[in-house]
Amino acid sequence: EQIGSVAPELKGVVSDATGLPQKRYYRQRAHSNPLSDHAFNDPTKPSDADWSSVYPLLQQPEHADKQVEFLDVGCGYGGMLVELSPMFPTTLMLGIEIRVKVADYVKDRILALQHQHPGQYQNLGLIRTNAMKFLPNYFRRGQLTKMFFLYPDPHFKKKKHKWRIMSDNLLDEYAFVLQEGGIIYTITDVVAMHECMAGALQKHPLFERLGEDELRSDPIVPKLYESTEEGKKVYRNKAAGENHGDGDVRLAIYRRLPDPS
């Protein structure tokens, strides 16, 4: 079934069949050096951030004072955000992506979905920035309730381990922007990356791992596996015996503990 109309801004890049952007117009290298100097237009402090230009939901008076609560770090093509939006339609969700073309794709994907489904996907947003450097520029202390690190780049070479999105120092920043009781979700099919993320979280004094009963009762957990494009690729490759990781997908999900008194 063909889509009858598309957002005027997206004509020429969307599929006639789906009305969504086609990735062939957004080619991008798979890896980006997060330590290099990229050109970003980041606010100096959270109060300087203009979220009204990002979220149509904020145009509604009853939602005008809402703040971003869910953050997908390195959101890729936005699959997790799109999956969660109908589940939490009045919760502001943000994807952060460092790669220019991928960020452009997600912005256009959100715009296309909003055009196709009036009144829906109004809580989705994307900014291009470097999460390893600029989170405190956007978020106040204890603002976020959930953070997602889904199939992050493992940066296999030892000399590039400093590029990984999880480290002791970075966890201090994540603990700062995550409210007490907030949740960090991680998933990967690369055992070395799982050990990196779970190991850092496990030894950090402000995080504790969720138990199996809690995982089973969390409606988000089943969405972690294949909502993202990277997750879908992992399972396709696994079925074909071509998985680039270690074959098994591993979760590590942690709660932000209260600050010591």
Side-chain angles (χ1 to χ4, degrees):
E1 180 182 356
Q2 291 197 341
I3 303 298
S5 65
V6 299
E9 306 96 313
L10 304 181
K11 287 185 177 179
V13 299
V14 299
S15 164
D16 291 336
T18 67
L20 297 175
Q22 301 177 82
K23 290 178 186 172
R24 61 193 175 99
Y25 295 112
Y26 303 85
R27 298 296 186 193
Q28 176 75 55
R29 291 179 60 189
H31 307 284
S32 180
N33 179 359
L35 301 184
S36 65
D37 291 325
H38 297 263
F40 299 117
N41 185 25
D42 298 295
T44 304
K45 56 186 183 297
S47 59
D48 292 336
D50 178 19
W51 297 113
S52 63
S53 63
V54 178
Y55 295 103
L57 188 69
L58 295 179
Q59 306 304 319
Q60 303 175 26
E62 66 270 29
H63 298 304
D65 294 330
K66 284 188 174 292
Q67 297 184 352
V68 175
E69 292 187 43
F70 289 12
L71 179 66
D72 190 350
V73 178
C75 68
Y77 291 97
M80 189 63 178
L81 296 170
V82 172
E83 190 75 22
L84 292 179
S85 178
M87 296 173 63
F88 304 90
T90 60
T91 298
L92 297 188
M93 307 177 185
L94 183 71
I96 285 182
E97 178 57 52
I98 197 171
R99 294 167 293 173
V100 178
K101 291 294 184 179
V102 179
D104 289 344
Y105 174 89
V106 179
K107 289 180 181 178
D108 289 349
R109 183 179 186 180
I110 292 171
L111 183 62
L113 287 168
Q114 291 170 344
H115 183 81
Q116 285 182 16
H117 307 278
Q120 299 182 43
Y121 301 102
Q122 305 292 300
N123 60 333
L124 295 187
L126 183 287
I127 57 173
R128 179 177 176 260
T129 191
N130 187 341
M132 294 176 69
K133 294 182 178 181
F134 300 116
L135 286 190
N137 295 56
Y138 287 93
F139 307 112
R140 297 176 176 84
R141 181 186 184 95
Q143 177 177 334
L144 302 177
T145 61
K146 298 186 187 296
M147 298 181 71
F148 300 90
F149 300 85
L150 310 180
Y151 301 99
D153 192 329
H155 296 295
F156 287 108
K157 294 181 179 178
K158 187 173 182 179
K159 67 179 181 179
K160 294 185 177 180
H161 285 184
K162 61 182 179 290
W163 294 8
R164 288 177 171 175
I165 196 62
M166 194 75 71
S167 68
D168 296 344
N169 289 338
L170 288 172
L171 272 177
D172 289 340
E173 288 204 1
Y174 302 156
F176 177 82
V177 298
L178 192 64
Q179 69 176 226
E180 294 179 3
I183 305 295
I184 281 185
Y185 298 84
T186 78
I187 189 169
T188 179
D189 64 318
V190 178
V191 67
M193 192 61 195
H194 171 74
E195 291 173 349
C196 167
M197 295 190 291
L201 284 159
Q202 188 65 36
K203 68 183 181 181
H204 197 285
L206 291 180
F207 291 97
E208 69 174 2
R209 194 162 190 165
L210 268 63
E212 290 299 321
D213 289 343
E214 293 176 289
L215 297 184
R216 281 192 290 268
S217 64
D218 186 338
I220 289 177
V221 170
K223 306 296 183 182
L224 301 175
Y225 294 91
E226 295 186 68
S227 293
T228 68
E229 282 68 10
E230 185 64 28
K232 290 180 173 69
K233 184 170 70 174
V234 165
Y235 279 89
R236 284 198 307 268
N237 290 346
K238 186 175 181 179
E242 300 172 352
N243 202 347
H244 77 281
D246 304 285
D248 293 322
V249 173
R250 298 167 176 86
L251 294 174
I253 302 177
Y254 282 74
R255 177 187 297 107
R256 167 65 155 89
L257 293 171
D259 292 329
S261 55

